[in-house]
Amino acid sequence: MIVVGVDAHKKTHTLVAVDPLGRRLAQLTIAATTTGHQQGCEWMQQFGHVLVAVEDCRHLTRRFEVDLLAARHSVVRVHTRLMAGARRSARERGKSDPIDAEAVARVALREPDLPKACLDGPYRDAKLIADHRRLLVRRRTAAANKLRWFLHEIDPELPVPSRGLRRLCVFDALEATLSGRAGVVVEIAIDLIAECRGLTERINALEGRLRRLVRDLAPALLEVPGCGAIGAAAILGETAGAARFKSKDAFARFNGTAPIPVWSSNKVRVRLNRGGNRTINNPPHDRGHAGSWNR
């Protein structure tokens, strides 16, 4: 089977076709636009049925993957770490878009179990919402840290509960306390309270969306002790469907729970795997701390 490797960039994509022995047959550079994608699909028709291998850079290749799948091409994703060896063993020295595209294609010839691309669905929605919520939480934490210093300067005895700057009732109480005071510090503190309030309302709304999404996709996850909507959404979003893995061992390798063998002779030992997807690796280790799944 002919394999077409794709080296993707923001403005252009370079395609290189190789035969089953890894020899370059042809190459083409197209614009990273719908018209360019159509041109690439028409160019591949000369080779009949092909396997398209793209370097795993989702934001650069996602639109192209959608057009390739719509044209009924088989598409696999090549992780960047797999390309180093292919570049070193290439027939042509140096680094260029055609060389990189050829390396992608040769990896696809060498590795039979590469992850297959598929159209986006509700799992990506879960990942996007969870990632956006995480960003808003970081912004609220930064604003809350500044707010605490100003509140301490205004009144060191002002009661602010631990983790209280994420609760609307605490914001109401602080605004009522500061309403009769004057000064620049008070003005900034009131602005920070308003910012924290707005971020909290958006975070709560996103969490509600995630909870409804998780209930539709995998309600069994919410029944696991300590697993809340945020932890379940992280698992669903990063996994993108456990059915896409060939075995439970492949899934364990992906999430970083598969032990790494370090044994020799008759003494069998393993060590902790610090690789894999660390976002999905975090929730299973936090079970028993129900609140930590939702941080």
Side-chain angles (χ1 to χ4, degrees):
M1 177 185 293
I2 303 299
V3 177
V4 176
V6 179
D7 181 53
H9 293 279
K10 185 175 181 180
K11 294 185 177 180
T12 62
H13 300 324
T14 298
L15 288 62
V16 171
V18 300
D19 64 14
L21 298 178
R23 296 174 297 194
R24 186 185 301 186
L25 299 176
Q27 69 181 58
L28 175 70
T29 298
I30 60 175
T33 61
T34 302
T35 303
H37 298 167
Q38 182 178 0
Q39 179 185 357
C41 293
E42 294 174 352
W43 175 79
M44 285 185 280
Q45 290 177 359
Q46 63 180 305
F47 305 111
H49 181 66
V50 300
L51 175 66
V52 183
V54 299
E55 189 175 3
D56 198 355
C57 305
R58 304 292 175 86
H59 289 292
L60 294 176
T61 61
R62 190 177 302 279
R63 184 68 249 176
F64 193 22
E65 288 179 4
V66 170
D67 292 338
L68 288 170
L69 292 172
R72 300 186 179 278
H73 287 292
S74 299
V75 183
V76 295
R77 294 173 177 146
V78 176
H79 196 282
T80 52
R81 70 172 181 271
L82 297 175
M83 295 175 54
R87 288 196 187 98
R88 285 194 298 266
S89 61
R91 297 178 175 87
E92 184 178 353
R93 299 191 55 147
K95 186 181 186 304
S96 65
D97 292 351
I99 291 176
D100 289 346
E102 182 178 350
V104 173
R106 295 180 68 189
V107 170
L109 286 173
R110 186 186 69 205
E111 303 287 342
D113 296 320
L114 292 172
K116 297 181 180 179
C118 59
L119 294 175
D120 295 330
Y123 291 105
R124 187 179 182 232
D125 294 342
K127 175 174 174 54
L128 291 175
I129 296 173
D131 289 347
H132 185 51
R133 178 192 174 278
R134 189 180 302 115
L135 178 62
L136 295 181
V137 169
R138 291 174 181 171
R139 288 174 53 186
R140 182 181 65 182
T141 300
N145 290 340
K146 294 180 181 179
L147 176 59
R148 282 188 177 275
W149 281 112
F150 285 119
L151 292 176
H152 181 77
E153 180 179 348
I154 294 170
D155 185 356
E157 297 182 355
L158 187 64
V160 181
S162 176
R163 298 185 181 181
L165 296 181
R166 62 179 68 178
R167 305 198 322 245
L168 300 180
C169 60
V170 174
F171 298 142
D172 293 337
L174 289 174
E175 286 180 341
T177 301
L178 299 178
S179 61
R181 307 187 183 215
V184 175
V185 175
V186 174
E187 293 176 5
I188 296 176
I190 292 175
D191 287 343
L192 289 172
I193 292 173
E195 182 179 354
C196 290
R197 180 194 294 275
L199 289 170
T200 298
E201 292 173 347
R202 293 167 64 186
I203 290 168
N204 293 343
L206 291 176
E207 185 172 347
R209 289 186 61 186
L210 286 175
R211 186 175 292 106
R212 293 190 294 271
L213 197 56
V214 170
R215 285 174 180 169
D216 293 337
L217 295 176
L221 272 179
L222 297 177
E223 299 176 3
V224 177
C227 182
I230 306 306
I235 293 174
L236 294 175
E238 298 295 330
T239 301
R244 70 186 181 92
F245 296 92
K246 64 178 181 179
S247 65
K248 62 180 182 181
D249 300 321
F251 181 55
R253 179 74 178 272
F254 168 78
N255 61 39
T257 58
I260 298 177
V262 290
W263 57 271
S264 178
S265 186
N266 296 326
K267 190 172 184 179
V268 179
R269 295 183 302 170
V270 296
R271 66 176 175 85
L272 180 66
N273 187 349
R274 299 188 182 279
N277 187 307
R278 306 317 293 173
T279 301
I280 193 178
N281 182 267
N282 182 57
H285 291 88
D286 281 341
R287 66 181 182 178
H289 303 278
S292 63
W293 284 70
N294 289 326
R295 289 175 187 167

